[in-house]
């Protein structure tokens, strides 16, 4: 059996939006394979999206791999930015790239003078 993961993006018809994403800061990542240490420069937002995708589908991947008797064949496909996320996801799952580090959640600030309880 095969598992097909199809990755889409919301910027299919917007070239300026696509360029905007690709122009954002890059993240330098140390590759995990090979004898020589190599570095890759990947768009940070796409790399993080690939990590989030894998976290989201992890239960399905584990279930699929556990039910497979011949070995799990997992294919990631996509078009445009979705293709970039698909390629990065496959590289992370294969072990060539590490999972991106989780981003820190920003704490929500409360406005002064407001509280969660009603006052009389």
């Amino acid at each position: 059996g095969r598992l097909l993961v199809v990755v889409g993006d919301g910027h299919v018809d917007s070239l300026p939006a696509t360029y905007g994403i690709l122009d954002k800061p890059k993240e330098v990542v140390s590759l995990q394979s090979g004898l020589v240490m190599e570095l890759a420069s990947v768009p940070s937002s796409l790399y993080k999206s690939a990590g989030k995708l894998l976290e989201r589908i992890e239960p399905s991947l584990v279930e699929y791999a556990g039910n497979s008797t011949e070995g799990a064949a997992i294919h990631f496909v996509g078009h445009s930015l979705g293709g970039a996320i698909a390629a990065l996801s496959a590289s992370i799952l294969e072990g060539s790239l590490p999972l991106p580090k989780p981003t820190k959640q920003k704490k929500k600030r409360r406005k002064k003078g407001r509280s969660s309880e009603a006052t009389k």
Side-chain angles (χ1 to χ4, degrees):
R2 297 178 190 274
L3 179 64
L4 183 64
V5 180
V6 180
V7 184
D9 71 68
H11 303 290
V12 174
D13 295 327
S14 177
L15 193 56
T18 299
Y19 283 144
I21 290 170
L22 295 176
D23 282 342
K24 290 186 179 176
K26 309 296 184 266
E27 190 163 331
V28 177
V29 182
S30 183
L31 299 178
Q32 304 287 355
S33 60
L35 298 174
V36 178
M37 188 180 104
E38 295 181 86
L39 300 174
S41 176
V42 296
S44 184
S45 59
L46 298 180
Y47 183 50
K48 289 175 183 170
S49 293
K52 287 178 186 176
L53 171 66
L54 289 173
E55 287 175 9
R56 197 162 189 190
I57 66 171
E58 181 181 14
S60 298
L61 294 175
V62 170
E63 180 183 346
Y64 174 74
N67 292 334
S68 179
T69 56
E70 298 177 12
I74 303 168
H75 301 274
F76 289 84
V77 297
H79 173 70
S80 192
L81 294 175
I85 294 169
L88 289 168
S89 298
S91 295
I92 292 168
L93 189 63
E94 184 265 336
S96 294
L97 288 174
L99 268 169
K101 295 176 184 171
T103 56
K104 295 179 183 176
Q105 296 287 335
K106 292 182 180 179
K107 292 182 180 180
K108 291 183 181 179
R109 293 184 181 182
R110 276 207 232 167
K111 293 183 180 177
K112 289 184 179 181
R114 295 194 179 205
S115 68
S116 58
E117 296 179 18
T119 57
K120 290 187 178 181

